[in-house]
Amino acid sequence: MMYIVRLSLFVLAFGAASSVFAHARLQTSDPQNGANVAAPSSITLHYNEPVEAAMSNVKLFGPDNAAVETGSPATRESDDTTLVTTLPKLSAGAYRLEWSTMGHDGHHTKGELRFTVK
Ligand SMILES: [Cu+2]
């Protein structure tokens, strides 16, 4: 009886962990969330697993919530866990980036980060 209880707990724990780790999650970014930086020429988003550039999207909003036109996010040739988006010359102020992407498991994830240009 105890064996069955333990086995079910193990299955529960393992099932929960694998569904968490299967999604593409943002690990680091440049600029980092909350950073105060000189105007960056690109935004780099680094995930825990490969992402599909064609199914990825970024939207950048600048001071007064004005949409900023950016390049399309692209993965690096040597590293499909990293999305790089080129930026126009940014003026000083507060920026908010909304990102969405899709991991190779087909699951979509999204998030946002904020940074300030000095
Ligand atoms: Cu997933």
Side-chain angles (χ1 to χ4, degrees):
M1 183 57 192
M2 206 54 209
Y3 172 77
I4 292 169
V5 170
R6 280 189 190 154
L7 183 67
S8 343
L9 284 175
F10 174 78
V11 167
L12 272 178
F14 184 77
S18 59
S19 63
V20 166
F21 292 116
H23 307 310
R25 297 171 77 84
L26 188 66
Q27 303 272 283
T28 58
S29 65
D30 184 17
Q32 288 185 305
N33 188 37
N36 193 0
V37 295
S41 58
S42 64
I43 292 179
T44 301
L45 302 171
H46 175 65
Y47 295 88
N48 64 324
E49 66 170 34
V51 292
E52 299 286 352
M55 299 298 289
S56 301
N57 194 30
V58 300
K59 285 184 198 160
L60 183 64
F61 300 93
D64 301 320
N65 218 28
V68 177
E69 195 147 335
T70 69
S72 300
T75 50
R76 288 178 172 155
E77 215 162 299
S78 56
D79 177 9
D80 60 2
T81 65
T82 300
L83 281 176
V84 180
T85 304
T86 57
L87 301 176
K89 188 168 174 12
L90 300 182
S91 48
Y95 289 81
R96 177 171 60 89
L97 180 90
E98 293 178 1
W99 61 261
S100 62
T101 192
M102 189 184 87
H104 282 184
D105 63 358
H107 292 153
H108 293 262
T109 52
K110 61 183 180 177
E112 68 171 36
L113 62 96
R114 292 163 191 266
F115 60 92
T116 302
V117 173
K118 293 180 208 172

